[in-house]
Amino acid sequence: RERSLTIALTENLKQYCFCVSNSGTQISEDMQESIFQPGVTTKGEGHGFGLVRIDAIVEKLDGYLSRNSEDGAFTTEILIPQV
């Protein structure tokens, strides 16, 4: 199966919006809660720290983050206020 990565960046007067969609492996329901813990991954040993880092950066910048895993895609949307 062909995989794709889509990245969209937009801004308005109040915020920046980053949307990333990955058509890789869908995250199972039982793994959706634990996947955001350091070291938990679907890729094997040595991975599993990217989502945790993103969460920390968004929190530090007082942003908003949502994730969705459905229809063969994992999507992350991040809103960061402009300062």
Side-chain angles (χ1 to χ4, degrees), residues 9-30:
L9 307 171
T10 59
E11 71 174 300
N12 60 35
L13 295 175
K14 295 182 179 182
Q15 62 194 4
Y16 300 103
C17 178
F18 305 86
C19 186
V20 180
S21 184
N22 180 346
S23 69
T25 306
Q26 187 170 352
I27 298 172
S28 64
E29 282 189 40
D30 61 326

Side-chain angles (χ1 to χ4, degrees), residues 10 29 33 57 63 66 70 78:
T10 59
E29 282 189 40
E33 291 300 318
I57 292 168
S66 71
E70 65 180 29
I78 300 169

Side-chain angles (χ1 to χ4, degrees), residues 20-22 27 32 36 66-71 73-77:
V20 180
S21 184
N22 180 346
I27 298 172
Q32 286 185 17
F36 306 110
S66 71
R67 293 193 176 98
N68 191 19
S69 182
E70 65 180 29
D71 298 331
F74 181 70
T75 302
T76 301
E77 180 183 49

Side-chain angles (χ1 to χ4, degrees), residues 27 35-36 48-56 65 67 74 76:
I27 298 172
I35 196 73
F36 306 110
F49 298 96
L51 296 176
V52 174
R53 288 181 181 147
I54 291 169
D55 290 356
L65 178 126
R67 293 193 176 98
F74 181 70
T76 301

